[in-house]
Structures are given as structure tokens and as C-alpha cells.
């Protein structure tokens, strides 16, 4: 059997899993989605999804990984060796591949903006994004960065880099927030971000907030499961999982605090959409003293956040080929890198370079990139999570799952926060009923009542 590797410590796991969770979804997508969906009301629904649906599910996904010590496909196979459940494994592997392809495009833009800021280059975002001579090499460079870390393996690659990159990210964000709060008119931004107005909420808002919560925690496609498979049996999954959720939501909130006060101070619109980060922020930075340094710092941070996420997506794929097919880690990492680059080309060309990809009539005139985002960001992670809940709660069996989760987590068999209910029973009830029914109800509500 191939040497699989293991985290050297709980901190290594927590930082790596939080690194996977914290990414473009928190820093790039969360503010624009909150901006388009009414601000604080979206934030409240997102947080409700995080704590009521995603948190119990996160524990379940890590737990299945640790129990089986396998990748997404192997974990399912360990419990049901044959039959249609293997389709869930296929969904996970396809999701990892497809998400990597479009996610790396946006990450490549971010990498490019570091240099654009430093060089005080004034090309507009639409011009930049429509230029394949710039975006394709950036896509390739970013994928190579990811492959380089994954190739080094668990402790020397993923864990070492996450321990360095995650704290750097937080320090940079806090510095940018403190700066933003001193700007005149910052209070209006805080108000928009922190005071909810539920009259603007539709079924679609709730679907978006739920998709945001799952994707932002890297759930439902076996990424967290794969990281869980490198955990030792005496690790406390409940506390490690709690840290991951707290860090992830904290960083999304910090991203909002970083963006909205500055945005309102400069009289910009919060509804700008996916281009928010790339259009509005450089405009803001341009007006600040030493703005190009601040701007470069911001995009260094966004690239770091994206990198710790793509590392986990690539690890999800590499683990499958190493465990299930016996490939050598180095070889498959570079091969996958090449394949993802090729597959990412349509997304990279869909922001102006190729008109047929940039405005697709059958998808409401939106781009191929936006299509990929809709399928793999909004729909597939909650769908995967729904199927995993059924698989863990009903196929594997909630009793066995709870036995595994209790290992290393002594408080799990006791009362939940002093209430007259045991944590393990409550968790089982959520995995079997609350989480799957909530996901289905949110979809039905959007399809039939919007
Ligand atoms: N959670 C990442 C983000 O917030 O950007 C994206 C992601 C990473 C999704 C890994 C899924 C995944 F398996």
C-alpha cells in the first residue's frame, strides 16, 4: 500500500482545513453576493445555514474520511463496495476537477493583479480579462503553484504552507480593515453590512446563501473528507471542526468589513457583481496614498486564500488516483495540472476573449464562467451534502458514525451545551432529518414559490 501520510498535529489539520475553507468564496464572492442580495439579511441567512446545516455536516464529512482513511471514492466503496452510491464518488471527483478549472481562472486574475498593482498599470478589468495573452499564462502559473505544494505531500507541502499562509492572511486583512474604517463615510458601509432588511429576501436569496455556506466551507464534494482521512483516531473532530467553522465565517465577515466601508466611502455600488473585487477595489486603491502597495497587498492575500483552497481541491483528486489506482503522487499531480489547465481554457476565454463563450444565449446571455459557477458553486455542493447525509445517516448507519465521531471527542456523548439533550443524539437527528430536509425545502421554496 502507498504511504498516505498524516497531519503532524491538530493545528496542522485545523489550519489546512480552514485554509481549504477560506478562499475566493469568502473574500471575492461573499461580499458581491451579499451586496447583490440585500446586505445584512443575506449575511444572517448565510450564518444560519453555516451553523444549523453546514456545521453538523462538516463533522459528518470529516468523520467518514477518518473512519475509512480513504479518499472520497474509496470512502464510499469501503462502506458500499458496489452499486449506485459509487456515483456519489464520481460526483465528488468531477466536482473537484471542474471547480479547479474555473476557480483557478479567477485565482489567476488575482495573481495578475498583484503585478498590475505594483506596476501601477491602468488597463481596465474588462480589457485585462479579455486578453488571453495575459489570462492563460496566469492560469497556468497558478495551477503550477498549486501542483508544487500538493506534490510535496501532506506534512511538507500542505501543512507547512498552510501554517505560514493562513496567519499572513489574517494579519493583512485586519490591516486593510483598520485602514478602511478611518475613511470618511465608512459608517454607511457598516450599516449596509450589519443591519438586516428582510423585505428583500426571496427563495433565490436563500438558495444563494446556502450554496455560499456549503461552498465556502468546501463541503459536499469530499474535500474535507479527504483531509479528514489524514487525521489520527485520537483527534477531537468536534473541536477541530468548530475551529474550522469559526475561522471560515470570521474571515467572510472580515472580508465584508474590509470591503463595504471603503466601498461606501467612495460612493460605489455594492451590487457590482463578480467584478466587484477587480473593478471597485483597484479604483479605491488608486485614490489612496500608497494605494498600489495596499492594492498589491490585497491581491497577495486573495491569491493566498485561493491557493490554500485549490491545494485541497487538487489533493481530493490526487488522493483518489494514489489510493484507488496506485499512481505515484508526483506523476499524477503534474498530469492533473496539465489537464486542469486545458479544461480551464473555456472559462478563461469567457470574459470577452471569445464572444460565443462570453454571452451564451441559452444561459441568459451570461458567460461560461458564470455557468460553471452556477452548477459547481450553487447546486452541486448542497446536492453532494444531501446525498452524503443519506449515505452516512441511513446507509453507513448513524450509530456507527456516532461511535467513530465519539473517538477522541469525549464531550460528544454528554449533554449539548448544558441542555437536556446529548450532543451525539442531536447530531444524529440533524444528519438524518434536519440537514437533508432543509436542503430540499430550500430548493423547493425557490423553484415553486419565487
Ligand atoms: N472553500 C473554498 C472557498 O471558500 O473559496 C472553495 C472550495 C475549496 C470549495 C475546496 C470546495 C473545495 F473542496
Amino acid at each position: 500500500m502507498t504511504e498516505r501520510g498524516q497531519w503532524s498535529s491538530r493545528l496542522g489539520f485545523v489550519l489546512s482545513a480552514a485554509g481549504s475553507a477560506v478562499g475566493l468564496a469568502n473574500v471575492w464572492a461573499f461580499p458581491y453576493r451579499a451586496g447583490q442580495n440585500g446586505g445584512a439579511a443575506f449575511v444572517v441567512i448565510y450564518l444560519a445555514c453555516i451553523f444549523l446545516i453546514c456545521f453538523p455536516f462538516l463533522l459528518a464529512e470529516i468523520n467518514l474520511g477518518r473512519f475509512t482513511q480513504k479518499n472520497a471514492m474509496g470512502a464510499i466503496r469501503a462502506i458500499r463496495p458496489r452499486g449506485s452510491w459509487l456515483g456519489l464518488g464520481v460526483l465528488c471527483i468531477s466536482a473537484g476537477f471542474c471547480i479547479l478549472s474555473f476557480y483557478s481562472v479567477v485565482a489567476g486574475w488575482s495573481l495578475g493583479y498583484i503585478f498590475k498593482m505594483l506596476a501601477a498599470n491602468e488597463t481596465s478589468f474588462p480589457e485585462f480579462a479579455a486578453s488571453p495573452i495575459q489570462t492563460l499564462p496566469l492560469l497556468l502559473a497558478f495551477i503550477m503553484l498549486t501542483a508544487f505544494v500538493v506534490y510535496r505531500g501532506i506534512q511538507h507541502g500542505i501543512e507547512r504552507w498552510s501554517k505560514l499562509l493562513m496567519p499572513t492572511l489574517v494579519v493583512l486583512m485586519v490591516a486593510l480593515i483598520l485602514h478602511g474604517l478611518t475613511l470618511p463615510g465608512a459608517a454607511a458601509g457598516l450599516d449596509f453590512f450589519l443591519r438586516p432588511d428582510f423585505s428583500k429576501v426571496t427563495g433565490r436569496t436563500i438558495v444563494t446563501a446556502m450554496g455560499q455556506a456549503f461552498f465556502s466551507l468546501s463541503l459536499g464534494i469530499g474535500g474535507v473528507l479527504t483531509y479528514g482521512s489524514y487525521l489520527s483516531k485520537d483527534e477531537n473532530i468536534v473541536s477541530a471542526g468548530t475551529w474550522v467553522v469559526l475561522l471560515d465565517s470570521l474571515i467572510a465577515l472580515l472580508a465584508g468589513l474590509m470591503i463595504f466601508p471603503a466601498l461606501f466611502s467612495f460612493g460605489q455600488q455594492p451590487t457590482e457583481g463578480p467584478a466587484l473585487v477587480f473593478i471597485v477595489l483597484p479604483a479605491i486603491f488608486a485614490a489612496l496614498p500608497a494605494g498600489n502597495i495596499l492594492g498589491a497587498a490585497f491581491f497577495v492575500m486573495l491569491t493566498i486564500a485561493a491557493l490554500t483552497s485549490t491545494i485541497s481541491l487538487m489533493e481530493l483528486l490526487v488522493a483518489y488516483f494514489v489510493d484507488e489506482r496506485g499512481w505515484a503522487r508526483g506523476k499524477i499531480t503534474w498530469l492533473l495540472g496539465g489537464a486542469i489547465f486545458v479544461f480551464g481554457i473555456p472559462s478563461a476565454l469567457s470574459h470577452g476573449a471569445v464572444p460565443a463563450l462570453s454571452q451564451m444565449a441559452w444561459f441568459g446571455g451570461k458567460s461560461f464562467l458564470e455557468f460553471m459557477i452556477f452548477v459547481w458553486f450553487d447546486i452541486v455542493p448542497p446536492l453532494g451534502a444531501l446525498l452524503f447525509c443519506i449515505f452516512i445517516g441511513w446507509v453507513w448507519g448513524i450509530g456507527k458514525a456516532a461511535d467513530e465521531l465519539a473517538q477522541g471527542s469525549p464531550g460528544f456523548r454528554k449533554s449539548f451545551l448544558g441542555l437536556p439533550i446529548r450532543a451525539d443524539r442531536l447530531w444524529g437527528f440533524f444528519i438524518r432529518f434536519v440537514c437533508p430536509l432543509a436542503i430540499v425545502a430550500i430548493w423547493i421554496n425557490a423553484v415553486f414559490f419565487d
Side-chain angles (χ1 to χ4, degrees), residues 16-88:
S16 306
S20 162
V22 174
L24 292 176
N26 304 62
V27 185
W28 160 72
F30 180 75
Y32 93 70
R33 292 179 152 214
Q36 284 181 327
N37 286 284
F42 177 87
V43 178
V44 171
I45 300 170
Y46 163 80
L47 289 175
C49 291
I50 290 272
F51 288 101
L52 296 176
I53 312 179
C54 295
F55 176 56
F57 180 71
L58 172 83
L59 301 182
E61 205 187 306
I62 301 177
N63 192 40
L64 178 61
R66 187 181 68 172
F67 175 71
T68 56
Q69 304 273 304
K70 292 247 159 62
N71 63 92
M73 178 69 92
I76 293 167
R77 206 175 261 155
I79 286 168
R80 268 275 180 276
R82 262 173 290 281
S84 42
W85 278 108
L86 295 182
L88 177 55

Side-chain angles (χ1 to χ4, degrees), residues 20-26 99 103 215-219 221 223-224 248 309 312-313 316:
S20 162
V22 174
L24 292 176
N26 304 62
I99 294 174
Y103 196 94
F215 189 82
S216 160
L217 279 169
S218 309
L219 296 178
I221 62 156
V224 166
D248 186 63
S309 299
S312 74
L313 285 162
L316 152 73

Side-chain angles (χ1 to χ4, degrees), residues 65-328:
R66 187 181 68 172
F67 175 71
T68 56
Q69 304 273 304
K70 292 247 159 62
N71 63 92
M73 178 69 92
I76 293 167
R77 206 175 261 155
I79 286 168
R80 268 275 180 276
R82 262 173 290 281
S84 42
W85 278 108
L86 295 182
L88 177 55
V90 175
L91 184 74
C92 292
I93 306 300
S94 327
F97 193 82
C98 293
I99 294 174
L100 260 176
S101 76
F102 77 81
Y103 196 94
S104 304
V105 170
V106 181
W109 294 345
S110 173
L111 182 63
Y113 260 64
I114 301 174
F115 302 104
K116 208 160 147 349
M117 287 285 135
L118 285 177
N121 169 318
E122 307 223 316
T123 330
S124 72
F125 177 72
E127 258 178 276
F128 165 80
S131 149
I133 313 170
Q134 303 193 58
T135 54
L136 290 181
L138 286 167
L139 170 64
L140 186 63
F142 187 80
I143 293 175
M144 305 260 291
L145 269 178
T146 307
F148 177 73
V149 177
V150 173
Y151 160 77
R152 304 274 294 141
I154 302 302
Q155 282 190 18
H156 298 290
I158 302 178
E159 184 172 336
R160 188 197 293 151
W161 282 95
S162 301
K163 275 184 179 160
L164 178 78
L165 297 178
M166 289 302 292
T168 315
L169 172 75
V170 174
V171 171
L172 269 171
M173 280 185 104
V174 170
L176 286 172
I177 292 172
L178 292 178
H179 180 271
L181 289 178
T182 62
L183 295 172
L190 280 184
D191 200 58
F192 175 78
F193 186 60
L194 298 176
R195 189 176 308 173
D197 168 9
F198 287 100
S199 67
K200 301 215 180 65
V201 172
T202 63
R204 185 73 209 242
T205 317
I206 306 177
V207 170
T208 312
M210 173 172 77
Q212 178 70 32
F214 275 105
F215 189 82
S216 160
L217 279 169
S218 309
L219 296 178
I221 62 156
V224 166
L225 182 157
T226 307
Y227 272 17
S229 76
Y230 305 122
L231 269 177
S232 81
K233 294 280 178 191
D234 49 14
E235 208 51 87
N236 185 331
I237 295 183
V238 178
S239 87
T242 307
W243 275 109
V244 173
V245 167
L246 291 178
L247 279 173
D248 186 63
S249 27
L250 176 79
I251 292 189
L253 295 177
L254 287 182
L257 289 179
M258 177 175 73
I259 287 182
F260 288 113
L263 193 80
F264 276 72
S265 164
F266 281 81
Q268 303 265 2
Q269 286 308 311
T271 50
E272 189 67 49
L276 184 76
V277 157
F278 294 100
I279 294 182
V280 176
L281 285 178
I284 294 172
F285 289 128
L288 294 174
N292 53 343
I293 302 292
L294 276 176
F298 175 80
F299 287 104
V300 166
M301 190 200 69
L302 189 62
T303 309
I304 292 173
L307 183 61
T308 50
S309 299
T310 49
I311 290 170
S312 74
L313 285 162
M314 179 113 72
E315 181 60 28
L316 152 73
L317 301 175
V318 168
Y320 164 71
F321 284 98
V322 171
D323 291 354
E324 303 298 298
R325 315 224 149 208
W327 290 55

